[in-house]
Amino acid sequence: MARAGLDVPWEFRLTHAGGFDSDITIAISSNYYDIFEYQGMHPNPSDETSDGRFVYLTFSPPKTGDVFTTSLDTYVQPGSQVGRHAVAEALVHGLVVARVDYSTLLFP
């Protein structure tokens, strides 16, 4: 839940026992981020593409460990009055290995 002009932190965390041996792609509903202004993503993706339905962000795997995390620093655009529903999926070797549905509600 948020209001126009307020920060909305976003984090995607993926855990895989034994670590990751290839790139990780996150697919996010393409219209979800229309209500936000971006301050930065950490780490940044090595590649981005879109098919109109999803934005695909591809990341190199972490060098060590079983957890991959990326975070996005955003705030709600001052003129945004309507929230959004989204889907985020993690793809490894082109296969969906995790999916989450979520919504952001905006209040006046």
Side-chain angles (χ1 to χ4, degrees):
M1 294 183 279
R3 292 178 192 256
L6 294 181
D7 291 340
V8 179
W10 184 91
E11 181 178 274
F12 191 92
R13 180 176 293 195
L14 187 63
T15 303
H16 184 266
F20 299 88
D21 63 356
S22 67
D23 287 348
I24 300 160
T25 300
I26 299 172
I28 304 166
S29 299
S30 59
N31 69 344
Y32 178 71
Y33 290 104
D34 292 347
I35 63 174
F36 299 105
E37 292 289 335
Y38 302 97
Q39 300 300 307
M41 181 172 259
H42 308 286
N44 285 312
S46 57
D47 188 39
E48 294 180 55
T49 188
S50 176
D51 64 8
R53 184 171 172 230
F54 287 102
V55 172
Y56 298 91
L57 307 172
T58 302
F59 299 87
S60 299
K63 297 198 184 301
T64 61
D66 298 343
V67 178
F68 165 79
T69 303
T70 188
S71 60
L72 185 61
D73 182 13
T74 64
Y75 67 90
V76 179
Q77 291 182 6
S80 293
Q81 302 297 314
V82 179
R84 290 279 198 283
H85 175 78
V87 172
E89 298 176 336
L91 294 90
V92 177
H93 299 294
L95 301 173
V96 176
V97 296
R99 176 187 164 111
V100 63
D101 291 78
Y102 57 99
S103 297
T104 298
L105 303 174
L106 296 183
F107 293 97

